[in-house]
Amino acid sequence: MNIYKQELKQYRNTLIGWCIAYICILALYLSFLPAFLDEGGGMRDYFASLPPEFMAAFGLDISLFFGPLGFITFVMTMFVLLVGIQAVHMGLSIYGKEQRNRTSDFLLSKPVKRAKIFWSKFLAGLTALFISEVVIYSAGYFIIKMVSDAAFPMNTYLLLLATCTFVQLVFFALGTLLSVLLKRIKNIVGLATGVGMGFFVIRMIANISNATTLRWINPYQFFDNMYVVAYNRYESASILVSLGVFVVLEAVSLWIYQHMDIHAV
Amino acid sequence: MTNVIELNGLTKFYGKVKGIEDVSFEVEEKEVFGFIGPNGAGKSTTIRTLLSLIFPTKGSATIFGKDCIKHASEIAMDVGYLPSEVFYYDGMKVKDLLNYSASFFKKDCKQKIEELSSLLDLPLNRKIEDLSFGNKKKVGIVQGLLHSPKLIILDEPSAGLDPLIQQTFFNILKQENERGATIFFSSHILSEVQRMCDRVAILKEGHLIALQKISELRKDSYKKVTVSGTLKEELDLENVTNRQSADEHTTFLYKGDVRKLLSTLAKQHIDDILIEEPSLEEIFLHYYQ
């Protein structure tokens, strides 16, 4: 419990920063919702006039796009990049931060098993991500209510936003694995941004080229938001693949962490 | 006497690079055991394996009779470790770090923290990132000893400490030893080890090359002598080796009675004299070639 508490303390400022950024970005994006709904006809014509590749790049279907949930889906196509980067950052921090700050010797020479250190850090990371999710869900809901009186089904809204949770779990596990695989991570933020952006660009390319085979190697594409809006549920493969990748990557990371040499500084 | 530490053919390779090879020795309970060798000899590799920070390639080591890899966390309950360089969490105050460190041990460490901090004049309310290297090292000492460990492992402990604090630190170690703690003292400074330890293991290029009592080492100890002036080719002294002359300066290694050395040199035309401890490398050259 002491490591868990200490980790959360270490994350506090970063977490506050992320939450403020999420609220500001959601407020900025969602402030366009009334205009989007009021000028639905004009918008529809405008988006219909764009090359089909533009909508495809973000995985959007024009027939489902107009309406509050369609707009939220559009916002989420970009917003998910941020949650991805945050999750990789949190995962990288599991071991990378100790390694970068050279504090591994201090912690690992204490009477505590490596597995316990790993799980404490893992839980602290998940807690931080959970707090972010609560902020995102709540801020999104209240901002929409503030800027528009448009009605939308709450369960679909929650299902849509919960895709962020799955994306975060997978990227968190990916960050954890990188943190135990890479020998020296000098810039955790830079690496997290690179990984998050990299997969985002791959998703855009895959969508434009309609390369459906790439879908299951990219966490951003495990969930099809347009499918969620249309059917008000997830594809079961999306849940299975996300949770499967999460469990496998975390298990591999734990094994490596328990067997790795902690080199002298 | 019970052995607190036992190394049996301990070997560690980093890929193809040798860290240590086939190192075996024992450290007895309540002993102050010196572990010396030049930089890169494998001292830290041995210590890191004992602490289960790295895994041996071959061989094994036990502490308190328990395998140091399998029972690492159990063993750590009674081990205090001070690394050569200390790194802690920035943003934390000294007292927070010490309390965090104490939270791993199932005992009340408050009194010991206060006692050690006061002896070392450690500012408890300062942030760690604002501390000098020496003060950070003091934090290391307190966090290594706050749980009154049965075994204290020190890796180049005095680096960065001023002479007064060094003295205090060595006094603390003596008290800990009198209390019953075994001390494993790694250093490349021979005089430090000679002053503190009962026995010493000497490591060179990853191999244990000698295991001696300090009293024996002292008896055999060399002095490095540098003389400015004119010296006779043949001095009336035994055990003079490695003599080298350049301009008016002569250096040599001497083993024996220092009074005889001084009385012999007093008969020469010398302007200045410097008697110092030879480096470990020089000792290795002459002892173990």
Side-chain angles (χ1 to χ4, degrees):
Chain A
M1 201 63 180
N2 55 348
I3 302 174
Y4 173 79
K5 281 185 192 164
Q6 165 65 15
E7 287 297 309
L8 274 184
K9 266 189 207 165
Q10 297 274 315
Y11 295 149
R12 189 178 53 199
N13 289 347
T14 318
L15 181 61
I16 291 170
W18 275 106
C19 290
I20 291 171
Y22 285 143
I23 293 169
C24 293
I25 289 167
L26 281 173
L28 178 72
Y29 279 142
L30 294 175
S31 64
F32 291 106
L33 178 62
F36 181 83
L37 294 176
D38 292 347
E39 297 176 29
M43 285 282 195
R44 189 186 293 269
D45 294 343
Y46 172 70
F47 278 101
S49 70
L50 291 173
E53 289 81 6
F54 176 82
M55 297 295 274
F58 293 100
L60 298 172
D61 180 341
I62 201 155
S63 63
L64 298 169
F65 184 50
F66 292 94
L69 289 174
F71 186 75
I72 293 168
T73 307
F74 174 65
V75 169
M76 280 184 60
T77 54
M78 285 164 285
F79 192 73
V80 79
L81 169 65
L82 290 179
V83 300
I85 291 173
Q86 188 206 7
V88 181
H89 180 258
M90 206 55 80
L92 283 171
S93 300
I94 283 223
Y95 175 63
K97 216 169 176 182
E98 296 282 350
Q99 190 197 37
R100 191 195 59 189
N101 297 340
R102 303 170 176 190
T103 46
S104 299
D105 280 15
F106 169 80
L107 198 53
L108 290 172
S109 58
K110 295 285 175 281
V112 58
K113 289 192 167 132
R114 286 195 186 193
K116 192 176 174 188
I117 296 176
F118 183 90
W119 288 123
S120 303
K121 285 171 169 281
F122 167 85
L123 282 177
L126 279 191
T127 307
L129 291 180
F130 174 74
I131 292 168
S132 312
E133 297 286 351
V134 171
V135 169
I136 293 168
Y137 286 29
S138 323
Y141 179 79
F142 286 114
I143 292 167
I144 292 172
K145 286 289 168 200
M146 276 166 69
V147 298
S148 164
D149 51 8
F152 57 89
M154 191 62 183
N155 59 342
T156 316
Y157 168 81
L158 288 174
L159 277 176
L160 267 178
L161 262 74
T163 60
C164 285
T165 307
F166 285 100
V167 168
Q168 287 211 316
L169 286 179
V170 177
F171 274 113
F172 178 65
L174 183 63
T176 311
L177 182 64
L178 288 174
S179 81
V180 294
L181 277 180
L182 300 176
K183 284 200 171 169
R184 196 73 192 255
I185 305 170
K186 283 188 179 164
N187 186 345
I188 291 178
V189 176
L191 181 59
T193 310
V195 172
M197 283 294 287
F199 278 105
F200 192 75
V201 171
I202 291 170
R203 182 186 76 170
M204 292 180 83
I205 295 168
N207 282 342
I208 291 168
S209 59
N210 206 19
T212 48
T213 46
L214 289 177
R215 181 182 172 191
W216 300 110
I217 61 160
N218 192 338
Y220 287 129
Q221 289 183 280
F222 288 175
F223 284 85
D224 179 355
N225 286 343
M226 280 298 157
Y227 180 93
V228 178
V229 174
Y231 300 102
N232 198 26
R233 61 185 164 86
Y234 295 141
E235 297 165 89
S236 39
S238 303
I239 301 172
L240 287 175
V241 171
S242 301
L243 294 180
V245 171
F246 171 71
V247 169
V248 169
L249 293 188
E250 290 294 355
V252 172
S253 305
L254 171 62
W255 189 89
I256 295 172
Y257 188 65
Q258 284 181 300
H259 295 87
M260 69 197 288
D261 280 347
I262 307 296
H263 292 291
V265 291
Chain B
M1 255 317 170
T2 323
N3 289 331
V4 168
I5 301 176
E6 281 182 25
L7 270 70
N8 303 303
L10 198 66
T11 301
K12 175 68 185 177
F13 275 79
Y14 301 100
K16 285 182 180 171
V17 180
K18 182 175 66 189
I20 49 170
E21 191 168 20
D22 201 22
V23 174
S24 302
F25 61 83
E26 294 88 36
V27 178
E28 292 171 359
E29 194 178 9
K30 296 180 187 173
E31 189 177 16
V32 183
F33 188 87
F35 195 51
I36 61 171
N39 292 330
K43 302 186 299 293
S44 293
T45 296
T46 309
I47 287 176
R48 297 182 79 74
T49 314
L50 284 172
L51 293 166
S52 186
L53 293 170
I54 57 176
F55 295 86
T57 313
K58 225 169 66 182
S60 64
T62 62
I63 294 178
F64 309 127
K66 294 172 186 164
D67 185 279
C68 69
I69 301 297
K70 285 182 194 155
H71 303 281
S73 62
E74 267 174 70
I75 292 169
M77 192 60 86
D78 291 310
V79 174
Y81 169 53
L82 174 60
S84 50
E85 283 186 84
V86 288
F87 295 96
Y88 298 121
Y89 305 93
D90 286 345
M92 273 180 109
K93 283 184 179 173
V94 173
K95 63 177 179 188
D96 296 333
L97 185 277
L98 295 175
N99 288 336
Y100 180 45
S101 184
S103 70
F104 289 93
F105 303 96
K106 292 167 189 161
K107 55 172 85 166
D108 183 9
C109 306
K110 257 186 189 167
Q111 199 188 332
K112 192 74 183 262
I113 291 175
E114 277 169 22
E115 185 188 313
L116 291 169
S117 306
S118 145
L119 278 171
L120 291 165
D121 196 19
L122 178 65
L124 290 172
N125 285 313
R126 295 264 304 272
K127 280 200 168 180
I128 294 186
E129 65 213 60
D130 299 333
L131 296 181
S132 65
F133 182 77
N135 272 336
K136 278 187 186 166
K137 197 89 188 200
K138 289 182 194 172
V139 178
I141 296 169
V142 179
Q143 74 85 24
L145 302 179
L146 54 79
H147 54 296
S148 306
K150 289 181 190 160
L151 170 65
I152 301 167
I153 297 180
L154 308 161
D155 191 0
E156 310 279 357
S158 62
L161 294 176
D162 65 53
L164 275 176
I165 295 296
Q166 267 188 36
Q167 185 56 49
T168 311
F169 173 53
F170 289 141
N171 288 341
I172 291 172
L173 287 181
K174 270 182 193 154
Q175 281 171 15
E176 290 294 316
N177 183 234
E178 281 160 13
R179 179 181 59 77
T182 307
I183 299 177
F184 185 86
F185 191 110
S186 161
S187 177
H188 65 268
I189 304 165
L190 188 59
S191 58
E192 207 171 73
V193 174
Q194 281 179 327
R195 182 172 150 199
M196 285 293 300
C197 303
D198 309 316
R199 275 195 312 148
V200 65
I202 300 177
L203 210 60
K204 186 187 176 190
E205 292 166 6
H207 291 273
L208 185 72
I209 53 172
L211 192 59
Q212 277 187 306
K213 284 188 177 170
I214 284 291
S215 51
E216 288 168 10
L217 194 72
R218 245 191 211 122
K219 204 169 64 188
D220 292 346
S221 77
Y222 278 82
K223 296 288 174 201
K224 184 182 177 184
V225 184
T226 306
V227 176
S228 302
T230 317
L231 277 189
K232 273 201 309 190
E233 268 309 306
E234 289 299 320
L235 289 171
D236 185 21
L237 283 171
E238 288 175 350
N239 294 323
V240 171
T241 54
N242 203 26
R243 180 169 167 158
Q244 290 174 329
S245 297
D247 301 327
E248 293 277 282
H249 301 283
T250 305
T251 62
F252 56 88
L253 289 183
Y254 171 74
K255 187 176 98 172
D257 189 344
V258 178
R259 284 170 300 185
K260 191 172 179 197
L261 168 75
L262 289 175
S263 66
T264 307
L265 291 178
K267 293 171 194 160
Q268 307 291 311
H269 296 288
I270 60 170
D271 303 320
D272 203 357
I273 181 167
L274 173 67
I275 301 175
E276 58 191 332
E277 285 196 38
S279 69
L280 277 175
E281 287 294 352
E282 285 166 321
I283 288 177
F284 291 145
L285 278 174
H286 290 278
Y287 268 75
Y288 306 108
Q289 230 170 12

